Coordinates of all heavy atoms in Angstrom, one line a residue:
A17 N -15.7 1.0 -12.7 CA -15.9 2.0 -13.8 C -14.8 1.8 -14.8 O -15.0 2.1 -16.0 CB -15.9 3.4 -13.2
Q18 N -13.6 1.5 -14.4 CA -12.4 1.4 -15.2 C -11.9 -0.1 -15.3 O -10.8 -0.3 -15.5 CB -11.3 2.3 -14.7 CG -11.7 3.7 -14.5 CD -11.9 4.4 -15.8 OE1 -11.2 4.1 -16.8 NE2 -12.8 5.3 -15.8
G19 N -12.8 -1.0 -15.2 CA -12.5 -2.4 -15.0 C -11.3 -3.0 -15.9 O -10.6 -3.8 -15.5
S20 N -11.2 -2.5 -17.1 CA -10.1 -3.0 -18.0 C -8.7 -2.8 -17.5 O -7.8 -3.5 -17.9 CB -10.3 -2.5 -19.4 OG -10.1 -1.1 -19.4
G21 N -8.5 -1.8 -16.6 CA -7.2 -1.6 -16.1 C -6.8 -2.4 -14.9 O -5.7 -2.2 -14.4
F22 N -7.7 -3.2 -14.4 CA -7.4 -3.9 -13.2 C -7.3 -5.4 -13.4 O -7.9 -5.9 -14.4 CB -8.6 -3.7 -12.2 CG -8.5 -2.4 -11.5 CD1 -9.0 -1.3 -12.2 CD2 -8.0 -2.2 -10.3 CE1 -9.0 0.0 -11.6 CE2 -7.9 -0.9 -9.7 CZ -8.5 0.2 -10.3
V23 N -6.4 -6.0 -12.7 CA -6.2 -7.5 -12.8 C -7.5 -8.2 -12.3 O -8.0 -7.8 -11.3 CB -5.0 -7.9 -12.0 CG1 -4.8 -9.4 -12.0 CG2 -3.7 -7.3 -12.6
K24 N -8.0 -9.1 -13.0 CA -9.2 -9.9 -12.7 C -8.8 -11.4 -12.6 O -7.7 -11.8 -13.0 CB -10.3 -9.7 -13.7 CG -10.7 -8.3 -13.9 CD -11.8 -8.2 -15.0 CE -12.2 -6.8 -15.2 NZ -13.2 -6.7 -16.3
V25 N -9.7 -12.2 -12.1 CA -9.6 -13.6 -12.1 C -10.7 -14.1 -13.0 O -11.9 -13.9 -12.7 CB -9.7 -14.2 -10.7 CG1 -9.7 -15.8 -10.8 CG2 -8.6 -13.7 -9.8
E26 N -10.3 -14.8 -14.0 CA -11.3 -15.5 -14.9 C -10.9 -16.9 -15.1 O -9.7 -17.2 -15.5 CB -11.3 -14.7 -16.3 CG -11.7 -13.3 -16.2 CD -11.6 -12.5 -17.5 OE1 -11.4 -13.2 -18.6 OE2 -11.8 -11.3 -17.5
N27 N -11.8 -17.8 -14.8 CA -11.6 -19.2 -14.9 C -10.3 -19.7 -14.2 O -9.5 -20.4 -14.6 CB -11.4 -19.7 -16.4 CG -12.7 -19.4 -17.2 OD1 -13.8 -19.6 -16.7 ND2 -12.6 -18.9 -18.4
G28 N -10.1 -19.1 -13.0 CA -9.0 -19.5 -12.1 C -7.7 -18.9 -12.5 O -6.6 -19.3 -12.0
Q29 N -7.7 -17.9 -13.4 CA -6.4 -17.4 -13.9 C -6.5 -15.9 -13.9 O -7.5 -15.2 -14.1 CB -6.2 -17.8 -15.4 CG -4.9 -17.3 -16.0 CD -4.7 -17.8 -17.4 OE1 -5.6 -18.3 -18.1 NE2 -3.5 -17.7 -17.9
F30 N -5.3 -15.2 -13.5 CA -5.3 -13.8 -13.5 C -5.3 -13.3 -15.0 O -4.6 -13.9 -15.8 CB -4.0 -13.3 -12.9 CG -3.9 -13.4 -11.4 CD1 -2.8 -14.1 -10.8 CD2 -4.9 -13.0 -10.6 CE1 -2.7 -14.2 -9.4 CE2 -4.8 -13.1 -9.2 CZ -3.7 -13.7 -8.6
T31 N -6.1 -12.2 -15.2 CA -6.1 -11.6 -16.5 C -6.1 -10.1 -16.4 O -6.4 -9.5 -15.4 CB -7.4 -12.0 -17.3 OG1 -8.6 -11.5 -16.6 CG2 -7.6 -13.5 -17.5
L32 N -5.6 -9.5 -17.5 CA -5.5 -8.1 -17.6 C -5.8 -7.7 -19.0 O -5.2 -8.3 -19.9 CB -4.1 -7.6 -17.2 CG -3.9 -6.1 -17.3 CD1 -4.8 -5.3 -16.3 CD2 -2.4 -5.7 -17.0
H33 N -6.8 -6.9 -19.2 CA -7.3 -6.5 -20.6 C -7.7 -7.8 -21.3 O -7.5 -7.9 -22.5 CB -6.2 -5.8 -21.4 CG -5.7 -4.5 -20.7 ND1 -6.5 -3.5 -20.4 CD2 -4.5 -4.3 -20.2 CE1 -5.8 -2.6 -19.7 NE2 -4.5 -3.0 -19.6
G34 N -8.3 -8.8 -20.6 CA -8.8 -10.0 -21.3 C -7.7 -11.0 -21.6 O -8.0 -12.0 -22.2
K35 N -6.4 -10.7 -21.3 CA -5.4 -11.6 -21.6 C -4.7 -12.2 -20.3 O -4.8 -11.5 -19.3 CB -4.3 -10.9 -22.4 CG -4.8 -10.4 -23.8 CD -3.7 -9.6 -24.5 CE -4.2 -9.0 -25.8 NZ -3.3 -8.1 -26.3
P36 N -4.1 -13.4 -20.4 CA -3.4 -13.9 -19.2 C -2.5 -12.8 -18.6 O -1.7 -12.2 -19.4 CB -2.7 -15.1 -19.7 CG -3.4 -15.5 -20.9 CD -3.9 -14.3 -21.5
Y37 N -2.5 -12.7 -17.3 CA -1.6 -11.7 -16.6 C -0.5 -12.5 -15.9 O -0.8 -13.2 -15.0 CB -2.4 -10.8 -15.7 CG -1.6 -9.9 -14.8 CD1 -0.8 -8.9 -15.4 CD2 -1.5 -10.1 -13.5 CE1 0.0 -8.0 -14.7 CE2 -0.7 -9.2 -12.7 CZ 0.0 -8.2 -13.3 OH 0.8 -7.3 -12.5
K38 N 0.7 -12.3 -16.3 CA 1.8 -12.9 -15.7 C 2.7 -11.7 -15.1 O 2.8 -10.7 -15.8 CB 2.6 -13.7 -16.6 CG 1.8 -14.9 -17.1 CD 2.6 -15.8 -18.0 CE 1.8 -16.9 -18.7 NZ 1.2 -17.8 -17.9
Y39 N 3.3 -11.9 -14.0 CA 4.0 -10.8 -13.4 C 5.2 -11.3 -12.6 O 5.3 -12.5 -12.3 CB 3.1 -10.0 -12.4 CG 2.6 -10.9 -11.3 CD1 3.3 -10.9 -10.1 CD2 1.4 -11.6 -11.4 CE1 2.8 -11.7 -9.0 CE2 1.0 -12.4 -10.4 CZ 1.7 -12.5 -9.2 OH 1.2 -13.3 -8.2
V40 N 6.1 -10.4 -12.3 CA 7.2 -10.6 -11.4 C 7.0 -9.6 -10.3 O 6.9 -8.4 -10.5 CB 8.6 -10.4 -12.1 CG1 9.7 -10.6 -11.1 CG2 8.7 -11.3 -13.3
G41 N 6.9 -10.1 -9.0 CA 6.6 -9.2 -7.9 C 7.7 -9.1 -6.9 O 8.6 -9.9 -6.8
A42 N 7.5 -8.1 -6.1 CA 8.4 -7.9 -4.9 C 7.7 -7.2 -3.8 O 6.7 -6.5 -4.0 CB 9.6 -7.0 -5.3
N43 N 8.1 -7.5 -2.6 CA 7.6 -6.8 -1.4 C 8.2 -5.5 -1.2 O 9.5 -5.4 -1.1 CB 7.8 -7.7 -0.2 CG 7.1 -7.2 1.1 OD1 6.1 -6.4 1.0 ND2 7.6 -7.5 2.2
M44 N 7.5 -4.4 -1.2 CA 8.0 -3.0 -1.0 C 7.1 -2.4 0.1 O 6.4 -1.4 -0.2 CB 8.0 -2.2 -2.3 CG 8.8 -1.0 -2.2 SD 8.9 -0.2 -3.8 CE 10.1 1.1 -3.4
W45 N 7.0 -3.0 1.2 CA 6.1 -2.6 2.3 C 6.3 -1.1 2.6 O 5.3 -0.5 3.0 CB 6.3 -3.5 3.5 CG 7.6 -3.3 4.2 CD1 8.7 -4.1 4.0 CD2 8.0 -2.3 5.1 NE1 9.7 -3.7 4.8 CE2 9.3 -2.6 5.5 CE3 7.3 -1.2 5.7 CZ2 10.0 -1.8 6.4 CZ3 8.0 -0.4 6.6 CH2 9.4 -0.7 6.9
Q46 N 7.4 -0.6 2.5 CA 7.8 0.8 3.0 C 7.4 1.9 2.0 O 7.6 3.1 2.2 CB 9.2 0.9 3.3 CG 10.2 0.9 2.2 CD 10.5 -0.5 1.6 OE1 9.7 -1.5 1.7 NE2 11.6 -0.6 0.9
A47 N 6.9 1.5 0.8 CA 6.7 2.5 -0.3 C 5.8 3.6 0.1 O 6.0 4.8 -0.3 CB 6.1 1.8 -1.5

Side-chain angles (χ1 to χ4, degrees):
Q18 303 291 326
S20 64
F22 286 81
V23 176
K24 299 178 183 179
V25 176
E26 296 176 10
N27 300 318
Q29 180 178 17
F30 290 127
T31 63
L32 179 63
H33 305 298
K35 298 176 184 169
Y37 174 66
K38 299 186 188 292
Y39 62 92
V40 178
N43 186 24
M44 194 176 188
W45 65 266
Q46 72 280 22

